[in-house]
């Protein structure tokens, strides 16, 4: 770790300082949330290893099961932290997902990807895609994890995250659109909370990608509107969250407006919070505006139940009328 702050490439105090020599000082120690294995608890949680060779893992969340025969919508969550900090074990992310799981009644997989700068910038994307592939490998009920085998409905998948995690989420959805996925796997929607899509003179991107420092606008991960695969993006709906005082708002708005005009045929929605900054809901989760974000997300994620209800209603009516033909 460099000792002279004048050597800093990016100063993200009070969270971290990234130095020109490629080292990092994470200023806040991660406070990890404990796991819960009580079947009577509102939400259970456990950690699983996905790739032993890389260390990619995930924290799984399961609501209290009242009907073991009922499959639950599945959310793959990708945390933020400027690609450099955070994990699913961090109390702020653990608490956020636990709240959503309890309120919306779904099973969640929170991805623990390798962090920069100790690992390449691209590792965050590759690890998250590897986690997605691991999750969907359970589609036939023969995967390595019993919670996913027994409780996940792979026709009702959502992917989402905030900040850097929102950016990675979008990449997963784009890659899924051109992958040869099982026909029973359906991504209903993605949610991008205060997402990171490159900004002018982006010091963080330059520091993490020194060999292509000035080409962030040509990177389809940061500028997905130039990605020819975008028209095939797997999800049907994209929900954006932006905050009025967030320096990342412009990048998110540019993508939101561009996505509406693109060849992709899905639905786009957005929620803006006035008078707040980047990821404010983590710092004051009980505030009225933070609760509004949670409520909007819960409504978005409960679409999985609505779609299931409509399908069951259609099949019931079809059986009823066909029996008289």
């Amino acid at each position: 770790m460099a000792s002279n702050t004048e050597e800093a490439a990016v100063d993200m105090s009070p969270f971290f300082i990234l130095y020109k020599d490629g080292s990092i000082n994470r200023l806040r120690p991660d406070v990890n949330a404990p796991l819960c294995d009580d079947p009577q608890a509102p939400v259970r949680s456990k950690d699983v290893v996905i790739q032993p060779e890389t260390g990619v893992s995930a924290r799984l969340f399961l609501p209290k099961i009242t009907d073991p025969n009922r499959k639950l919508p599945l959310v793959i969550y990708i945390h933020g932290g400027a690609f450099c900090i955070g994990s699913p074990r961090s109390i702020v992310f653990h608490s956020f997902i636990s709240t959503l799981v309890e309120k919306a009644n779904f099973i969640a997989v929170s991805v623990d990807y390798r962090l920069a700068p100790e690992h390449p910038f691209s590792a965050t994307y590759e690890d998250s895609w590897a986690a997605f592939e691991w999750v969907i490998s359970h589609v036939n009920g023969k995967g390595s994890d019993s919670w996913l085998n027994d409780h996940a409905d792979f026709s009702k998948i959502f992917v989402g995250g905030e900040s850097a995690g929102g950016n990675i989420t979008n990449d997963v959805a784009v890659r899924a659109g051109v992958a040869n996925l099982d026909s029973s796997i359906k991504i209903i929607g993605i949610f991008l909370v205060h997402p990171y899509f490159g900004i002018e003179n982006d010091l963080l991107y330059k520091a993490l990608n020194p060999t292509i420092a000035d080409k962030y606008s040509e990177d389809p991960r940061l500028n997905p509107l130039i990605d020819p695969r975008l028209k095939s993006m797997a999800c049907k709906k994209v929900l954006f969250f932006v905050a009025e005082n967030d320096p990342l708002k412009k990048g998110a708005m540019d993508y939101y407006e561009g996505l509406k005009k693109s060849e992709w045929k899905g639905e786009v929605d957005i929620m803006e919070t006035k008078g707040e900054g980047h990821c404010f809901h983590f710092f004051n989760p009980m505030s009225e505006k933070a609760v509004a974000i949670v409520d909007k997300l819960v409504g978005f994620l409960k679409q999985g139940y609505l779609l299931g209800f409509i399908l069951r209603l259609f099949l019931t009516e079809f059986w009823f009328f066909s029996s008289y033909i």
Side-chain angles (χ1 to χ4, degrees):
M1 181 185 75
S3 59
N4 189 337
T5 57
E6 291 182 358
E7 297 177 2
V10 183
D11 190 336
M12 298 284 285
S13 300
F15 303 104
F16 68 88
I17 300 175
L18 187 63
Y19 294 95
K20 291 182 179 179
D21 66 359
S23 61
I24 188 170
N25 182 8
R26 295 181 174 91
L27 301 173
R28 288 185 174 182
D30 236 350
V31 179
N32 293 336
L35 295 169
C36 176
D37 194 32
D38 180 1
Q40 299 306 312
V43 179
R44 297 168 66 188
S45 54
K46 66 178 178 180
D47 292 331
V48 298
V49 175
I50 293 173
Q51 281 188 340
E53 63 274 19
T54 61
V56 178
S57 62
R59 178 160 286 194
L60 274 59
F61 298 80
L62 185 72
K64 186 176 181 180
I65 300 300
T66 56
D67 180 359
N69 296 316
R70 183 184 187 184
K71 297 289 187 177
L72 302 176
L74 170 63
V75 173
I76 300 172
Y77 176 75
I78 305 173
H79 72 81
F83 306 96
C84 295
I85 59 174
S87 84
R89 298 178 299 279
S90 301
I91 193 167
V92 63
F93 300 127
H94 179 101
S95 299
F96 181 66
I97 291 301
S98 293
T99 298
L100 287 176
V101 168
E102 183 177 1
K103 287 180 175 290
N105 200 42
F106 59 83
I107 185 170
V109 178
S110 185
V111 180
D112 193 7
Y113 52 83
R114 289 170 292 172
L115 299 176
E118 293 89 346
H119 302 282
F121 179 72
S122 59
T124 59
Y125 298 95
E126 296 308 317
D127 292 352
S128 298
W129 178 249
F132 175 80
E133 291 188 307
W134 176 81
V135 169
I136 63 174
S137 72
H138 294 75
V139 65
N140 294 318
K142 298 179 181 179
S144 59
D145 183 78
S146 60
W147 285 6
L148 293 176
N149 288 334
D150 297 340
H151 303 295
D153 186 343
F154 291 90
S155 69
K156 301 181 183 68
I157 298 176
F158 295 84
V159 188
E162 79 293 317
S163 195
N167 177 278
I168 301 168
T169 289
N170 193 80
D171 182 70
V172 168
V174 170
R175 292 176 72 162
V178 295
N180 185 26
L181 301 182
D182 188 291
S183 60
S184 61
I185 297 169
K186 305 293 183 185
I187 300 179
I188 303 299
I190 65 173
F191 56 93
L192 311 177
V193 184
H194 306 167
Y196 167 84
F197 292 105
I199 57 177
E200 190 173 356
N201 194 28
D202 191 339
L203 296 179
L204 178 63
Y205 184 81
K206 290 181 177 181
L208 295 178
N209 298 276
T211 60
I212 53 171
D214 296 320
K215 296 185 180 295
Y216 74 90
S217 63
E218 300 173 21
D219 188 335
R221 298 169 300 189
L222 270 66
N223 185 11
L225 293 174
I226 67 172
D227 193 335
R229 303 172 301 172
L230 181 63
K231 61 184 177 183
S232 302
M233 186 163 62
C235 62
K236 302 301 181 184
K237 299 182 180 181
V238 179
L239 174 59
F240 287 80
F241 291 85
V242 296
E244 182 181 23
N245 300 330
D246 184 359
L248 300 186
K249 176 186 172 183
K250 183 181 184 303
M253 292 300 301
D254 288 347
Y255 183 38
Y256 165 72
E257 295 294 345
L259 190 58
K260 289 193 296 183
K261 301 172 184 177
S262 72
E263 295 182 72
W264 177 71
K265 302 302 181 183
E267 300 177 24
V268 183
D269 190 14
I270 192 167
M271 176 180 177
E272 179 176 0
T273 305
K274 298 294 185 180
E276 297 290 350
H278 187 65
C279 290
F280 73 92
H281 55 292
F282 286 143
F283 308 109
N284 191 8
M286 301 308 295
S287 69
E288 182 179 351
K289 293 178 181 178
V291 171
I293 286 181
V294 171
D295 289 345
K296 180 75 171 181
L297 266 174
V298 168
F300 183 68
L301 298 171
K302 281 190 172 181
Q303 292 177 80
Y305 289 113
L306 178 60
L307 290 171
F309 172 77
I310 292 173
L311 179 60
R312 288 193 299 272
L313 180 63
F314 171 79
L315 292 175
T316 300
E317 293 294 325
F318 177 80
W319 175 86
F320 177 80
F321 285 112
S322 64
S323 65
Y324 288 93
I325 296 176

